[in-house]
Amino acid sequence: TLDGTTLREFTPSVRQLQPGVTEIGSTRGVSSHQHNPNIVLLRPGADQRQGQVYGLSMIYSGNFTLRCEVDQYGSLRLQGGIHPQRFSWRLAPGEWFETPEAALSYSAQGLNGLSASLHPFVRRRLTPRNWRGQPRPVLLNTWEACYFNIDEARLREIAETARGMGIRLMVVDDGWFGHRERADSSLGDWFPCETKFPKGFEPLRSFPLPLGIWLEPEMISPDSELYRRHPDWCLHAEGRVRTEWRNQLVLDMSRKEVQDYLIACVDSVLSTGIFTYVKWDNNRRMTQVQSEAWPAAQQGEVFHRCMLGTYRLFDHIRSCYPQVLIENCASGGGRYDYSMLCYCAQGWLTDNTDPVDRLTQQNAASIFFPPEVITSHIAASPNHQTKRATPAKLRQDVCALFNAGFELDVTALSAEEKRAMTEAAALFRDMQPLAACGRFMRLNPSVAPAKWFGWMVEDDERAVVAYFRPHCEQEAAYWTIPLYGLDR
């Protein structure tokens, strides 16, 4: 299983099945940082290169359970579906209920064989059609460069520098809307901040780069115009203190009027034609999951109805703005699953941009997800999350075979650093077509490697290998790196 928490999502966990039940799941309203909704069964001796493996991947972004049961005869049953806790659905005669789907997979060539089956499935059946087989733009996100301190002049300075470095798109992250100066206000007020953008979005048309924008539609701040107008629109238990986390509450996405309001907000942003990319965030779990819109007998439906409401928003964007690239984010990898890939051509794996930690996370995620949907950015050193200092070459190479981009202030770079980042952008542009269509393999045979990591992406014309030893080992022996697929 792929487990963890915020900043260390996709940590592989390998365990021996014993008589009884082994189960992972989520009751947080999203598929969660704690347990990704994918599981692999390995027969004895199976690893990355060899042996029989079976995979199950939920195509659902809400509460789920994956359950293995070994009975008294040694037989194994694997089940997956909506988590039964706090779930019920009232069906009248003649009505029907559509359960979530799952992808089942098998390989006799280990986890690399499983990926060789699952990656084409994602590319051909899940990813939005206009992004299938297409390289993603090499972009710069403004979050770690500016945090909330953005305005038109600051963004223009960053965009001009980024363009000179070969970056192809800039994403305006959090801080552009309402009266957003910190994390404690304005979610729900999706209009340009008057003090930061006094002329609205219009001046952004002349920016030297195409632009993307950050949204967190499913959330609401108590300090917002929306909350003051509609305090009943958040999930809450009547008579109880409303539980905030990150200074925010969760909108009741089961209500059509909430969905309609958010569709109008999204339209007001995207209909301008200024933004070709959306970073869609979701920064907290659901609590007090009760809705004033439904009777007591149907409160067990609210979790799932909220998920269906979110899907309705995504369906609207996909149908009305098919040219817009959506990146899935949920405080990092809190809702990183196959269902989100039906709407989002890529996903932000984790808010942890430390390249050493990313080795483990990207290695594990690549079992189920092809490299072009795994976004990986060069960030500053020392890293903003772990404070670890790493060389630019390491930060570059950890990103290069995935959906690579930048998450740092390019205007603060020295001449030498800017030259290194410009070279990295050129490398990323060169690698993107291979990442989007190539065959990806993990070279270390261990199911959960630690000492070294090796990746290889190849097509019918070339192969690219990346090899990492993140920690020094004194007097280490020479290591042989096995390569695959070169006889094609």
Side-chain angles (χ1 to χ4, degrees):
T1 56
L2 306 178
D3 309 309
T5 188
T6 307
L7 301 182
R8 53 180 177 86
E9 304 93 325
F10 291 91
T11 302
S13 176
V14 184
R15 71 201 80 174
Q16 181 75 33
L17 291 177
Q18 302 291 342
V21 174
T22 302
E23 184 175 11
I24 62 168
S26 171
T27 56
R28 298 168 181 262
V30 291
S31 45
S32 87
H33 300 84
Q34 286 68 30
H35 301 292
N36 195 254
N38 296 281
I39 194 169
V40 179
L41 304 177
L42 300 94
R43 289 200 180 275
D47 59 21
Q48 299 283 358
R49 307 180 200 169
Q50 62 186 1
Q52 297 186 69
V53 294
Y54 302 79
L56 188 153
S57 303
M58 292 294 299
I59 309 178
Y60 185 59
S61 302
N63 293 347
F64 76 94
T65 180
L66 291 174
R67 190 173 191 269
C68 299
E69 182 175 7
V70 178
D71 69 11
Q72 68 270 34
Y73 304 111
S75 297
L76 172 63
R77 170 183 288 175
L78 174 61
Q79 295 175 299
I82 295 176
H83 202 292
Q85 182 173 315
R86 286 292 311 278
F87 173 75
S88 61
W89 198 270
R90 192 174 184 178
L91 279 178
E95 293 182 341
W96 54 277
F97 177 81
E98 184 176 359
T99 65
E101 297 178 348
L104 308 177
S105 47
Y106 166 80
S107 172
Q109 287 80 46
L111 293 174
N112 277 329
L114 199 72
S115 298
S117 173
L118 287 172
H119 290 186
F121 167 71
V122 170
R123 288 167 171 167
R124 297 169 187 167
R125 300 295 183 184
L126 300 185
T127 307
R129 289 182 181 275
N130 54 329
W131 287 103
R132 294 176 185 175
Q134 297 300 310
R136 284 25 170 198
V138 176
L139 61 83
L140 180 144
N141 189 284
T142 64
W143 178 239
E144 289 191 19
C146 305
Y147 293 100
F148 298 105
N149 301 316
I150 60 173
D151 57 30
E152 181 188 333
R154 180 77 175 104
L155 293 176
R156 188 177 295 275
E157 177 190 23
I158 294 173
E160 289 172 351
T161 303
R163 181 186 181 187
M165 295 169 54
I167 293 168
R168 295 293 186 249
L169 184 146
M170 187 178 78
V171 181
V172 181
D173 208 283
D174 199 349
W176 62 267
F177 54 94
H179 57 277
R180 182 83 157 179
E181 300 291 346
R182 301 179 305 275
D184 59 359
S185 75
S186 300
L187 293 173
D189 298 342
W190 300 111
F191 49 84
C193 175
E194 292 182 357
T195 58
K196 297 178 180 180
F197 302 95
K199 297 180 181 179
F201 289 139
E202 196 59 31
L204 305 185
R205 293 188 189 277
S206 64
F207 265 47
L209 282 177
L211 294 176
I213 197 163
W214 179 93
L215 293 168
E216 193 177 3
E218 298 155 85
M219 301 295 155
I220 184 172
S221 299
D223 179 13
S224 66
E225 292 184 17
L226 179 64
Y227 188 80
R228 285 184 278 273
R229 292 198 309 268
H230 299 287
D232 59 319
W233 276 13
C234 70
L235 296 172
H236 62 278
E238 195 62 36
R240 304 238 178 156
V241 175
R242 300 185 180 190
T243 304
E244 296 179 27
W245 192 73
R246 291 176 58 108
N247 309 114
Q248 62 195 63
L249 299 165
V250 183
L251 280 171
D252 183 357
M253 297 297 296
S254 72
R255 301 174 68 145
K256 185 176 183 299
E257 63 267 36
V258 173
Q259 301 165 25
D260 290 343
Y261 169 80
L262 294 175
I263 286 173
C265 290
V266 169
D267 283 344
S268 71
V269 174
L270 296 184
S271 64
T272 64
I274 295 172
F275 303 103
T276 61
Y277 167 107
V278 169
K279 180 180 178 181
W280 185 296
D281 216 335
N282 180 301
N283 275 312
R284 62 155 290 180
R285 60 173 296 185
M286 295 184 187
T287 54
Q288 297 179 322
V289 184
Q290 295 188 36
S291 170
E292 292 187 15
W294 302 96
Q298 290 182 267
Q299 290 299 311
E301 303 176 11
V302 174
F303 268 118
H304 185 62
R305 287 190 181 276
C306 283
M307 197 70 257
L308 297 179
T310 298
Y311 289 156
R312 183 186 170 214
L313 263 66
F314 279 117
D315 280 329
H316 175 79
I317 297 175
R318 288 260 56 89
S319 61
C320 295
Y321 310 98
Q323 77 284 1
V324 171
L325 169 61
I326 309 175
E327 177 166 284
N328 165 47
C329 180
S331 190
R335 194 167 64 184
Y336 196 105
D337 52 64
Y338 275 7
S339 182
M340 283 293 107
L341 288 180
C342 298
Y343 307 99
C344 308
Q346 58 196 52
W348 185 236
L349 191 70
T350 173
D351 280 346
N352 187 349
T353 53
D354 184 310
V356 176
D357 290 344
R358 277 271 184 160
L359 287 170
T360 296
Q361 294 169 295
Q362 292 174 195
N363 195 80
S366 70
I367 296 171
F368 295 96
F369 301 93
E372 76 274 16
V373 306
I374 300 174
T375 302
S376 182
H377 287 176
I378 287 185
S381 178
N383 181 263
H384 285 198
Q385 291 82 47
T386 66
K387 310 304 180 185
R388 191 192 332 250
T390 51
K393 184 68 164 61
L394 174 64
R395 286 177 279 146
Q396 166 194 288
D397 290 350
V398 169
C399 301
L401 298 184
F402 293 84
N403 183 12
F406 295 83
E407 190 85 24
L408 76 172
D409 184 0
V410 292
T411 66
L413 299 176
S414 67
E416 181 180 349
E417 290 171 328
K418 188 176 293 186
R419 185 165 52 252
M421 294 300 115
T422 302
E423 292 174 356
L427 175 66
F428 294 165
R429 294 195 306 272
D430 181 43
M431 291 294 103
Q432 286 302 292
L434 187 61
C437 301
R439 296 174 284 270
F440 185 94
M441 288 156 281
R442 294 163 298 278
L443 301 181
N444 189 327
S446 172
V447 174
K451 286 189 175 182
W452 70 276
F453 296 83
W455 301 324
M456 178 175 171
V457 183
E458 53 99 16
D459 59 17
D460 294 333
E461 296 183 354
R462 63 173 176 167
V464 178
V465 175
Y467 166 69
F468 306 91
R469 290 177 61 184
H471 303 291
C472 178
E473 184 177 350
Q474 293 76 17
E475 296 295 330
Y478 291 107
W479 292 21
T480 301
I481 307 172
L483 305 181
Y484 302 97
L486 299 182
D487 57 341
R488 292 182 184 273

